[in-house]
Amino acid sequence: MRQRDCPRGIAVVDPAAGAAPGESAAVYLTIENSGPDDALVGAGCDCSERVSLHVTEERDDLHVMVETDRIDIASGETTVLGPGGSHLMLEGLDAPLEAGAGIEVTLEFEHGGERTVEVPVVPLDELAERVDR
Ligand SMILES: [Cu+2]
């Protein structure tokens, strides 16, 4: 699924959310930036109270998720938000995400404005394969 009609050369590729039983779920996607330097500075979804930007850090041999206020999207680069790295975190879901459903997530870029992408919900065991590249 490629969504190409985007402001300032930003393309959001292969988004996917994991079907999780609880109140939070990860969203993975790839951002291709053929425009100037930009950054992801926020996200939102009607399906949850909020959407946080997370990075994964290593602390004492443990991988922990830490909230951040920006994820840099450098010019000419492909930025992968995927397992073990940066991702979006849906928090306070109205209802658990079910595989086969779809959600709309709005991404807020520092310079490129907002854009809303359709994100399919996939089973957790498929998620890693989908975004592994
Ligand atoms: Cu997270």
Side-chain angles (χ1 to χ4, degrees):
M1 178 182 304
R2 300 177 81 82
Q3 305 187 35
R4 283 245 161 241
D5 56 330
C6 41
R8 296 171 65 94
I10 290 172
V12 178
V13 183
D14 289 339
E23 284 196 336
S24 60
V27 174
Y28 300 129
L29 48 81
T30 295
I31 299 170
E32 297 171 352
N33 185 7
S34 58
D37 282 344
D38 210 328
L40 187 59
V41 293
C45 180
D46 286 343
C47 63
S48 66
E49 276 173 35
R50 67 191 172 281
V51 182
S52 300
L53 307 181
H54 277 181
V55 293
T56 303
E57 293 183 354
E58 200 170 329
R59 289 183 184 167
D60 301 328
D61 290 334
L62 287 177
H63 290 272
V64 293
M65 298 191 298
V66 180
E67 189 165 353
T68 185
D69 57 4
R70 60 184 287 126
I71 295 171
D72 286 321
I73 309 293
S75 175
E77 299 281 322
T78 296
T79 304
V80 178
L81 278 61
S86 311
H87 54 276
L88 307 178
M89 206 78 187
L90 305 169
E91 295 178 312
L93 284 164
D94 295 337
L97 296 184
E98 292 189 15
I103 56 175
E104 287 194 344
V105 176
T106 299
L107 305 175
E108 185 187 339
F109 293 96
E110 187 171 49
H111 303 295
E114 292 187 350
R115 61 188 295 253
T116 299
V117 293
E118 295 275 346
V119 180
V121 179
V122 304
L124 284 178
D125 57 350
E126 280 181 28
L127 195 58
E129 295 168 25
R130 274 185 78 108
V131 293
D132 194 30
R133 66 191 78 224

